[in-house]
Amino acid sequence: QVQLVESGGGLVQAGGSRRLSCAASGRTSSYMMGWFRQAPGKDREFVAAITISGRTTYYADSVKGRFTISRDNAQNTVYLQMDSLKSEDTDGYYCAAGRFVSSTDYYVQNTYDYWGQGTQVTVSS
């Protein structure tokens, strides 16, 4: 069983930066880790994912070049560095862990096994 706890959300001005953290209670070194986001009344959408080794990362087109996902397997923690934030980045951000997520379905939320409770990021313009 894996429990995920996100932190780092808050209010930030447009153009600013924020780093989200996701701490796992269990070992996540054998899990693909991902970040998704969701606004009230909207579907959850893929943001970024990182493979077990950390050598390969994936990003949604909307955040590519602005967001960076990384992981520290020794600390069972995954990060999302968000730079050049825009008002449209305002969302609840959710961390996810998937045991059998592949390079072809990393963006599909149903392939992930565990989810955190989310942390809110609000970007003011």
Side-chain angles (χ1 to χ4, degrees):
Q1 187 75 12
V2 173
Q3 291 184 326
L4 305 173
V5 179
E6 301 95 336
S7 61
L11 179 64
V12 60
Q13 287 190 334
S17 298
R18 201 82 180 179
R19 189 175 84 154
L20 305 183
S21 299
C22 173
S25 62
R27 287 177 58 86
T28 53
S29 58
S30 58
Y31 288 76
M32 174 87 86
M33 300 298 295
W35 285 96
F36 289 74
R37 64 187 183 185
Q38 185 175 25
K42 294 188 177 181
D43 292 334
R44 192 168 292 185
E45 65 174 10
F46 168 75
V47 174
I50 187 167
T51 56
I52 294 170
S53 67
R55 285 193 286 268
T56 302
T57 56
Y58 307 96
Y59 297 95
D61 288 343
S62 58
V63 306
K64 199 171 294 183
R66 300 188 298 121
F67 290 13
T68 304
I69 188 172
S70 61
R71 66 188 298 165
D72 183 340
N73 285 338
Q75 298 295 322
N76 290 319
T77 303
V78 64
Y79 304 97
L80 185 68
Q81 176 67 39
M82 306 185 295
D83 298 319
S84 302
L85 282 162
K86 305 175 182 179
S87 57
E88 51 261 45
D89 295 319
T90 295
D91 265 325
Y93 283 74
Y94 297 84
C95 176
R99 185 71 174 88
F100 301 106
V101 180
S102 74
S103 60
T104 59
D105 57 16
Y106 57 85
Y107 57 93
V108 180
Q109 58 174 313
N110 289 342
T111 61
Y112 290 83
D113 305 301
Y114 302 102
W115 291 85
Q117 293 300 305
T119 185
Q120 178 68 31
V121 174
T122 301
V123 183
S124 64
S125 56

